[in-house]
Amino acid sequence: MALPAPDLDDRRFQQLVDDAKRMVQQRCPEWTDHNVSDPGVTLIESFAFMVDQLVYRLNRVPDRNYVKFLELMGVTLFPPVAARADVTFWLSAAQADTVPVPVGTEVATLRTSAQEAVVFQVTEERQIVACEVEQVGSFTEPNDYRDHSAELEARQPFACFDNPPKPDDVLMIGLSQAVPGCAVLLNLDCHIEGVGVDPRFPPLSWEAWTGESWAPCELERDTTGGLNRGGEVVVHVPRGHTVSVISRLRAGWLRCRVIPPLADQPFYAASPTVSAVSAVTIGGTTAATHAELVFDEIIGLSEGVPGQRFSLRRSPVVPTSQPTTVQVAGGSGWDEWTSVPSFADSHPDDRHFMLEASAGEVLFGPAVRLRDGTIRQYGAVPPKGAPIRIPSYRTGGGKRGNVKSKEISVLKSSMPYVSSVVNRRAASGGVDGETLDNAKVRGPIAMRTRNRAVTVEDYEELAREAAPEIARVRCAPAGSEGVEAGAVRVLVVPAVEQDGRLQFEQLIPHDDTLRRIAEHLDARRLIGARVLVEPPVYQGVTVVARVRARPRTSAATVQEAALDALYRYFDPMVGGAEGRGWPFGRAVHVGEVYSCLQRVPGTEFVEDALLFAADPVSGQRGEKADRIELSEHALVFSFEHSVIVEES
């Protein structure tokens, strides 16, 4: 695709004539005959015609030359990136058979009078598998499995954990089969025996066995109050859940584990008891993308000449984890052609093509005349008259797809037994296509790197090139903190459309993003360099403050504004003094808390502020400190701030 070149002067012939006539009225008021028959008007039109030709030539320089130079360097506009979201399909009732959610199922946001619906398509097939409870047991000591199946059959209560419970005691639930990516409803008949805990915040963790380790399950709801009364527990089982053998019993295992309590968190004084357990599958979660999938599109017939160019019906083409291919009809069926970034290494028999994703165009190799007069063909030429098609590609994308949580609620495709759909987290990763102004800035950088990763800046620029959806990237070279000799760490922070307060899970880049960056850098790194692409280390920060509000000011309003200010200031993407993201490795000072809170509207003064280091994974909080040090390549993350506002 040719980059769009701006016009330096957009005036045309008639505009030049009109401008000249207006000048005549100002400078020569005695000239009143402006009809086309007047000889003076004829001269004006003649000059306007010549100026129009000059303007036409002027518009070819200098910006046009600059853009053409970028084209010669191979700089093309980045296509938009499609936002991704996990969507959960809820069944109208538990089913005895598996309910499939096929690829291509369409879901969307609600269409309003002011905004069109944003449509997502499912990209990962999900089987909502029916299940039931087959095994129930517990571990109070390692390798000491206690089978409670007989007690359940007799409806006799049994203790879930040791008496008194201790951390890492577990209640084991074996399902009839694995339910990867599904939502499981557990009905438990519990008795009020596990006293001592806060039923709104019990020290329990639900986990699923993936064949290699125990992965956490996301808790949708728990009406048992920490296994203290009869109720329901709904958990979202991770995608890696599998059937395994534990203590000679084969099942799809889930477990409820007692975790160490946080500071000031009540703990069990006695073990909860259970007399009945049942399970059904009520939903499933799968991945969806803000892009439309197009199948088997015929893009044209080959003319049998080099350098052919074909346009797709839909553009732009959204990058995906699977490379786009082209098929050309041959004697034995459809022959597959491979996409390449350039034809520089293509031989005359190589079935290669280039895809200009932003314009939605397919290019085949040119024939180039060399210095000695010979003609070299770069890439094969499709046979004359052969139909050319693309098996599949995705189109759409853009920042518009970064919708908030619970906004995807419309099921556009007909699906039996499904009552509703929802995205439990905000969609992320959507980026608009690159603008010409950005490409003009990127051109000199591309010339400096020459598509090779040598310096720290090269690694960072190439990482952004491979994944435009990332918000921040930092290269930690060998010799810096935590990086051994011969290695390079590329730390990636994903772009997140913040829906309220940032969740720690949103800071973990998508596996596809990490893979694309790693492959892109691996092809451009120096020989012997080992590249690691991963998220940075996040240091949790908890602020506990007491603020006095101004007279006649709502304490609740000041509290909400103060919390928003803290969460925004200690944010890895929009935090810091300049609002461009917390600087890597910068320490946190308690004085910044006072400054941040004092700027909150309605604040009279800050009476006290305490700063704590926290682990965003385990939730454990350290001792109060005036200064929290960060490692060289770490970022901060706001973790459960607390602000008390006193009225004047």
Side-chain angles (χ1 to χ4, degrees):
M1 167 190 167
L3 295 174
D7 288 338
L8 300 182
D9 192 335
D10 60 357
R11 292 178 298 174
R12 295 295 179 261
F13 169 80
Q14 189 58 48
Q15 292 172 303
L16 294 170
V17 172
D18 294 341
D19 288 345
K21 288 182 177 180
R22 282 191 290 268
M23 186 175 294
V24 167
Q25 293 175 355
Q26 296 174 2
R27 302 290 179 87
C28 303
E30 63 275 8
W31 184 357
T32 58
D33 188 4
H34 296 162
N35 295 317
V36 294
S37 59
D38 186 80
V41 173
T42 302
L43 290 175
I44 289 177
E45 291 180 344
S46 299
F47 281 112
F49 174 78
M50 298 301 297
V51 172
D52 186 43
Q53 299 301 309
L54 291 176
V55 169
Y56 173 81
R57 296 176 181 274
L58 176 66
N59 284 332
R60 286 352 185 221
V61 292
D63 280 357
R64 185 176 182 86
N65 285 349
Y66 189 89
V67 170
K68 291 301 179 182
F69 289 148
L70 293 181
E71 288 185 350
L72 291 176
M73 292 167 50
V75 175
T76 58
L77 297 180
F78 288 146
V81 180
R84 294 183 292 262
D86 284 342
V87 293
T88 301
F89 293 82
W90 296 105
L91 300 181
S92 55
Q95 302 298 315
D97 299 323
T98 298
V99 178
V101 179
V103 173
T105 301
E106 290 190 342
V107 295
T109 60
L110 188 64
R111 180 181 178 182
T112 65
S113 58
Q115 190 173 12
E116 289 291 329
V118 180
V119 180
F120 285 71
Q121 279 194 350
V122 170
T123 58
E124 175 189 4
E125 184 177 5
R126 173 63 58 227
Q127 301 289 334
I128 304 179
V129 182
C131 71
E132 60 183 6
V133 174
E134 286 191 347
Q135 308 289 339
V136 176
S138 62
F139 278 105
T140 57
E141 296 292 340
N143 302 321
D144 183 18
Y145 179 78
R146 300 181 181 180
D147 192 351
H148 300 297
S149 300
E151 295 161 289
L152 282 178
E153 291 180 3
R155 301 287 295 185
Q156 294 180 356
F158 63 89
C160 302
F161 313 121
D162 202 357
N163 262 316
K166 59 184 182 300
D168 293 330
D169 285 352
V170 294
L171 170 66
M172 303 288 294
I173 300 177
L175 304 180
S176 56
Q177 54 187 320
V179 286
C182 294
V184 176
L185 168 64
L186 299 170
N187 281 294
L188 297 105
D189 189 1
C190 307
H191 305 276
I192 303 177
E193 298 289 345
V195 295
V197 297
D198 182 353
R200 299 168 300 178
F201 189 41
L204 297 176
S205 174
W206 287 91
E207 299 167 339
W209 180 252
T210 62
E212 298 179 354
S213 62
W214 290 98
C217 298
E218 184 178 346
L219 184 64
E220 177 75 18
R221 71 173 181 269
D222 180 3
T223 63
T224 66
L227 305 181
N228 261 321
R229 58 177 177 267
E232 299 176 346
V233 175
V234 177
V235 293
H236 295 276
V237 181
R239 288 175 169 83
H241 188 228
T242 185
V243 172
S244 299
V245 176
I246 296 179
S247 296
R248 300 183 181 180
L249 298 174
R250 182 178 178 83
W253 290 99
L254 304 178
R255 75 177 187 180
C256 179
R257 181 173 63 92
V258 179
I259 60 177
L262 303 177
D264 302 328
Q265 183 182 14
F267 195 67
Y268 285 105
S271 173
T273 60
V274 176
S275 59
V277 181
S278 63
V280 291
T281 307
I282 60 172
T285 301
T286 187
T289 303
H290 175 225
E292 181 181 350
L293 186 60
V294 181
F295 291 102
D296 296 332
E297 179 180 309
I298 302 295
I299 60 176
L301 300 177
S302 173
E303 298 179 355
V305 297
Q308 297 179 86
R309 182 187 295 262
F310 298 90
S311 297
L312 308 182
R313 297 176 187 172
R314 306 287 298 276
S315 65
V317 178
V318 173
T320 62
S321 57
Q322 299 297 327
T324 304
T325 60
V326 161
Q327 294 177 339
V328 178
S332 58
W334 292 96
D335 299 325
E336 190 166 284
W337 292 51
T338 306
S339 175
V340 293
S342 73
F343 294 114
D345 298 325
S346 300
H347 295 88
D349 296 330
D350 292 337
R351 294 175 176 174
H352 291 169
F353 74 95
M354 286 180 59
L355 174 66
E356 292 190 351
S358 184
E361 293 181 340
V362 172
L363 285 72
F364 290 95
V368 178
R369 181 179 181 276
L370 303 180
R371 175 178 291 183
D372 58 4
T374 60
I375 304 296
R376 178 179 174 181
Q377 176 65 42
Y378 288 86
V381 177
K384 183 176 181 179
I388 302 172
R389 76 175 184 183
I390 292 188
S392 65
Y393 67 93
R394 292 190 178 275
T395 181
K399 193 175 181 180
R400 182 168 172 261
N402 296 332
V403 298
K404 298 180 180 180
S405 63
K406 300 182 180 180
E407 285 201 356
I408 301 176
S409 57
V410 179
L411 184 63
K412 295 181 69 68
S413 301
S414 176
M415 286 191 63
Y417 312 117
V418 174
S419 62
S420 62
V421 64
V422 69
N423 61 314
R424 292 177 286 116
R425 290 192 178 87
S428 62
V431 180
D432 290 335
E434 187 181 28
T435 63
L436 177 61
D437 290 339
N438 189 79
K440 290 163 66 177
V441 174
R442 182 168 56 87
I445 300 176
M447 178 177 289
R448 181 181 60 81
T449 62
R450 296 186 179 274
N451 211 26
R452 288 292 180 266
V454 180
T455 66
V456 168
E457 292 78 10
D458 295 344
Y459 277 98
E460 294 175 353
E461 181 60 32
L462 291 172
R464 293 189 183 94
E465 180 180 308
E469 68 268 25
I470 61 178
R472 300 180 67 186
V473 60
R474 181 179 179 88
C475 177
S480 59
E481 184 178 356
V483 185
E484 60 186 16
V488 174
R489 289 179 63 204
V490 178
L491 309 176
V492 177
V493 180
V496 177
E497 192 74 14
Q498 297 195 24
D499 177 17
R501 289 160 189 170
L502 191 66
Q503 301 296 320
F504 184 69
E505 294 80 6
Q506 296 177 274
L507 295 175
I508 307 302
H510 196 274
D511 292 340
D512 177 55
T513 300
L514 297 178
R515 181 193 57 79
R516 282 191 285 116
I517 295 176
E519 291 179 353
H520 193 71
L521 294 178
D522 185 65
R524 293 158 177 80
R525 62 178 173 82
L526 294 176
I527 296 177
R530 184 163 56 91
V531 182
L532 305 175
V533 182
E534 57 190 8
V537 174
Y538 292 96
Q539 173 62 64
V541 173
T542 300
V543 173
V544 178
R546 189 169 69 255
V547 174
R548 183 168 296 277
R550 292 178 181 175
R552 297 181 298 279
T553 302
S554 170
T557 302
V558 175
Q559 182 187 42
E560 186 65 24
L563 288 172
D564 289 343
L566 289 174
Y567 277 99
R568 184 172 183 83
Y569 189 78
F570 298 107
D571 187 285
M573 286 177 288
V574 297
E578 298 180 357
R580 300 179 180 178
W582 192 266
F584 281 91
R586 184 182 179 278
V588 181
H589 301 263
V590 70
E592 297 177 277
V593 177
Y594 284 92
S595 176
C596 178
L597 294 177
Q598 191 63 55
R599 293 195 299 267
V600 174
T603 299
E604 183 71 21
F605 56 85
V606 181
E607 292 190 349
D608 192 16
L610 303 177
L611 194 62
F612 300 89
D615 188 339
V617 178
S618 65
Q620 293 185 347
R621 194 171 73 185
E623 300 294 331
K624 69 175 183 178
D626 293 334
R627 176 188 175 99
I628 298 177
E629 296 289 346
L630 271 66
S631 59
E632 184 179 358
H633 304 293
L635 291 173
V636 300
F637 172 74
S638 290
F639 185 77
E640 297 182 359
H641 300 309
S642 176
V643 177
I644 300 174
V645 179
E646 299 178 353
E647 296 182 349
S648 300

